[in-house]
Amino acid sequence: MKSINKELYVGVFVLIGLLCAGYLTVVLGGVRLFSPKGYTLYAYFTSVSGLKTGASIEMAGVEIGNVSDIMLDKTRLEAKVAFRINPGIQLSEDSIASVKTAGIIGEKYISISPGGSDIMLEDKDAFNNTESTLDIESLVRKFIFKNEH
C-alpha cells in the first residue's frame, strides 16, 4: 500500500512537471496551437533583409498582425511576404507597407501607413505600395568607396 502511494505521488508530480514544461513551450516559444484568426495579405519588396517569420505588423505603433511567410516570387524576382492581419482591422487598397527597424540595430517589422481609399483589401489581396528596408551596408560601402576616389 505504501508503495502505491509513493508511485502515485511521483506520477502526479511528473505529470504536473510535463504540463508546466508544455505550457512554457507554448507561451515562451510562441507556438500557435490553433489556426490564427484574421485574414492574409501579401506584399512584394525588393529587399526584406533581416525580416523574419513571426515579425510584427504595426500601424500607428500598435501590433495588428504577424508575418506568416517570406518567399521569393519567381516571376517578379522579388521577396513576397505573407502576413496575417487581426480580425476587425480593415486596410484600404492604397495603404503603404514598409519594412522598418526597431531602434538602430533592432529587429525588423512591417509598418502599415493607412491610405484614404474607400476600397478595402480583402483576404489574399496584395499591397500596391511598398517600401523596402534600408540597407545600411550598401550605404556604408558607397560612402567608403566614394571617399577613395
Side-chain angles (χ1 to χ4, degrees), residues 10-28:
V10 169
V12 169
F13 183 74
V14 169
L15 183 63
I16 291 171
L18 288 173
L19 288 174
C20 289
Y23 175 77
L24 289 174
T25 301
V26 170
V27 172
L28 296 178

Side-chain angles (χ1 to χ4, degrees), residues 55-71:
S56 67
I57 310 294
E58 295 183 5
M59 178 182 275
V62 177
E63 186 172 324
I64 61 167
N66 289 310
V67 173
S68 57
D69 195 15
I70 301 171
M71 63 207 100

Side-chain angles (χ1 to χ4, degrees), residues 10-107:
V10 169
V12 169
F13 183 74
V14 169
L15 183 63
I16 291 171
L18 288 173
L19 288 174
C20 289
Y23 175 77
L24 289 174
T25 301
V26 170
V27 172
L28 296 178
V31 176
R32 296 186 190 269
L33 295 176
F34 307 105
S35 63
K37 304 229 184 296
Y39 60 101
T40 301
L41 293 177
Y42 298 99
Y44 296 90
F45 297 94
T46 55
S47 174
V48 290
S49 178
L51 187 68
K52 293 181 172 59
T53 302
S56 67
I57 310 294
E58 295 183 5
M59 178 182 275
V62 177
E63 186 172 324
I64 61 167
N66 289 310
V67 173
S68 57
D69 195 15
I70 301 171
M71 63 207 100
L72 180 67
D73 185 279
K74 294 177 184 172
T75 57
R76 295 175 71 157
L77 297 176
E78 292 182 322
K80 181 180 180 182
V81 178
F83 41 89
R84 206 83 170 126
I85 301 296
N86 296 338
I89 305 292
Q90 293 291 315
L91 301 173
S92 63
E93 70 170 353
D94 59 344
S95 296
I96 302 170
S98 308
V99 179
K100 303 281 185 177
T101 305
I104 296 175
I105 56 173
E107 291 188 12

